[in-house]
Amino acid sequence: MRLRTDIFVSALLRRVFAMGDFAAVEKKGAEEAGAVFIRQHFRDGLETLYGPAPQSAFDDGGSTERLFEMRLERRPADDVRDMLDRERKFDSDLWIVELEAEEIGDLVPTARRTENPL
């Protein structure tokens, strides 16, 4: 069983604060199963956006871990905002979490990309 989204986000915020960085919830979504998007702000004004990894990134074992994929890397804030606006039109129950941290380490578990053998 997957951890509820509100608990996942709360734990993420606590971990960011414990590192001495800042985090905030920009938009709350569905408490039990809302998709989570993470905006990472950098000091130079650029942002990286992480979103839920596609279902194909999960192994066949039915993993319960939340996995993310990088959607935009070090782009202007307007680019990130435009993508999030498109996502909100598709899914109004999504969460948006903002992190002000230069390094996120293992805070955001990312899906491993596998090369297509064909």
Side-chain angles (χ1 to χ4, degrees), residues 5-116:
T5 303
D6 57 345
I7 295 171
F8 173 83
V9 169
S10 179
L12 175 62
L13 296 178
R14 260 187 244 126
R15 291 179 67 197
V16 171
F17 285 125
M19 292 173 34
D21 292 316
F22 178 78
V25 176
E26 177 182 328
K27 181 188 179 305
K28 283 187 175 185
E31 291 183 351
E32 292 185 11
V36 178
F37 287 82
I38 299 171
R39 296 176 72 171
Q40 180 184 12
H41 298 274
F42 296 96
R43 289 187 184 113
D44 61 5
L46 298 177
E47 298 181 10
T48 294
L49 178 66
Y50 295 90
Q55 195 64 34
S56 62
F58 293 88
D59 60 16
D60 293 333
S63 173
T64 60
E65 179 182 22
R66 271 182 206 275
L67 294 177
F68 294 87
E69 70 175 355
M70 190 180 298
R71 301 281 178 94
L72 297 172
E73 185 174 14
R74 295 191 75 95
R75 302 283 292 273
D78 288 342
D79 291 356
V80 173
R81 172 66 47 215
D82 290 345
M83 180 170 269
L84 286 171
D85 286 345
R86 287 192 303 273
E87 291 291 340
R88 280 189 223 206
K89 288 178 185 173
F90 176 73
D91 179 7
S92 61
D93 286 336
L94 62 82
W95 288 70
I96 300 173
V97 178
E98 296 187 38
L99 308 179
E100 289 184 8
E102 290 294 316
E103 282 296 320
I104 57 171
D106 63 347
L107 288 175
V108 180
T110 55
R112 290 194 172 98
R113 293 191 180 257
T114 56
E115 295 299 321
N116 187 349

